[in-house]
Amino acid sequence: MAIEKVYDLVSRGKAKLTPAAVQEALDAGFAPADILEKMITAMDVVGEKFKNGEIFVPEMLIAAKAMKKGVEVLKPHLASGAAGALGKVVIGTVAGDLHDIGKNLVAMMIESAGFEVIDLGVDVPAEKFVEAASADGVKIVACSALLTTTMPALEATVAALKAAGKDYKIMVGGAPINQEYADKVGADAYTPDAATAAKKAKELAC
Ligand code: B1M
C-alpha cells in the first residue's frame, strides 16, 4: 500500500525516494493528515530503535531528512489559510535543542490558520525569544522542546517572556511536555500536536 511505502522509506531514511512515495500516496487518495501521521509513527519507531541502541544519531538524522522531504510535498495540501490576518506568532525550539520537525509542523499549521509566523529556528536563547516577541503585533510566542534536558530551558524562556510583561500569550509543546508542566512553568497553553496548536492559537488570539 502506498502509505506503508512512505512509512518504510522514512523509517529507513530514504530522503530521495520519500517525496515520490508521498505523492503516490496522495494520488492514491490517502488524506494528507493520515500520510503525515504515518511519517510521525515512522519517526517514533526510529526513536525507539535509537533508545534501544539498534541505531545511532546519523540514522536519526537521515530519517529526519526523509521526513522533511516528505513534508515538503504535503505542505501545500495541509496549509491553506491566508497568512497574516490574525497577527504574528513567534516560534522556536528552546536553547540547547536541535529538534525542529515538530516545531516546523506547528509553524506550518499556525501559518495556515491565518497568522504571520516568525520562525527563530532551533537552539534559541530566551533573550532571542524576548527580543522577537517585543515586535508590534505579536499575539503568541510558541516554544518547542523535545528533550527532557531542555525542559529547564523552556521554563527559563517562559519566565523571561513573562518578565518582559508584554501582551502576548505563551504556548508550549513537544514530546516531554504535558499540561501539568505547562501549568507549573506558567505557560498560557499546552497542546500535544500541531493541529491542536493551530486551533488553540486561534482561540488565544481572537
Ligand atoms: Co533526537 N531524541 N536527539 N534527534 N530524536 C528524541 C527526541 C528521543 C525521544 C529519541 C529516543 O531516545 N527515543 C530522545 C530524547 C529523550 C529524552 O530527552 N526524553 C532524543 C535524543 C536523546 C537526542 C540526542 C541527545 C541524541 C544524542 O546526541 N545522543 C540528540 C540531541 C541533540 C540536541 O537537540 N541538542 C538528538 C539529536 C537528534 C537529531 C539531530 C539526529 C534528529 C533531529 C533532526 C531534526 O529535528 N532536524 C533527532 C530525531 C529525528 C529524533 C526523533 C527520532 C524524532 C523527532 C521528530 O522529529 N519526531 C525523536 C524520537 C521521537 O520523537 N519519537 C528523538 C516527529 C515530530 C513530528 O514529532 O517533534 O514530537 P515531535 O512534534 C510533535 C509534538 O511533540 C508536537 O507537535 C508535533 C506533532 O504534531 N509539538 C508541539 C512539538 N513542538 C510543539 C510546540 C507546540 C505544540 C506542539 O506549541 C508551541
Side-chain angles (χ1 to χ4, degrees), residues 36 39-40 43-51 57-65 67-68 91 96-103 105-106 110 122 141-150 171-176 189-195 197:
L36 180 62
M39 289 199 274
I40 293 175
M43 296 307 282
D44 284 343
V45 171
V46 168
E48 273 307 298
K49 284 189 176 165
F50 172 78
K51 202 166 77 181
V57 170
E59 285 93 338
M60 278 209 287
L61 207 50
I62 58 168
K65 196 172 166 198
M67 171 142 188
K68 282 187 175 184
I91 191 166
D97 201 322
L98 302 175
H99 296 85
D100 69 354
I101 296 178
K103 183 266 295 169
L105 287 176
V106 172
I110 284 181
V122 296
V141 185
C143 311
S144 179
L146 257 291
L147 299 168
T148 44
T149 50
T150 55
M171 292 177 62
V172 296
Y190 157 77
T191 55
D193 57 59

Side-chain angles (χ1 to χ4, degrees), residues 8-129:
D8 177 57
L9 292 172
V10 171
S11 55
R12 290 195 293 126
K14 300 291 180 191
K16 283 196 181 136
L17 301 175
T18 300
V22 170
Q23 189 58 54
E24 230 174 83
L26 286 168
D27 294 344
F30 287 98
D34 291 342
I35 302 170
L36 180 62
E37 197 53 47
K38 267 286 168 199
M39 289 199 274
I40 293 175
T41 312
M43 296 307 282
D44 284 343
V45 171
V46 168
E48 273 307 298
K49 284 189 176 165
F50 172 78
K51 202 166 77 181
N52 299 333
E54 292 166 44
I55 61 165
F56 301 96
V57 170
E59 285 93 338
M60 278 209 287
L61 207 50
I62 58 168
K65 196 172 166 198
M67 171 142 188
K68 282 187 175 184
K69 289 280 174 199
V71 170
E72 277 171 24
V73 179
L74 275 188
K75 190 174 174 181
H77 300 269
L78 290 165
S80 57
L86 294 180
K88 292 178 190 162
V89 175
V90 169
I91 191 166
T93 305
V94 299
D97 201 322
L98 302 175
H99 296 85
D100 69 354
I101 296 178
K103 183 266 295 169
N104 292 345
L105 287 176
V106 172
M108 190 173 89
M109 299 302 260
I110 284 181
E111 188 179 329
S112 162
F115 292 92
E116 178 186 340
V117 171
I118 302 165
D119 190 342
L120 303 178
V122 296
D123 190 15
V124 181
E127 314 79 65
K128 203 170 162 192
F129 272 106

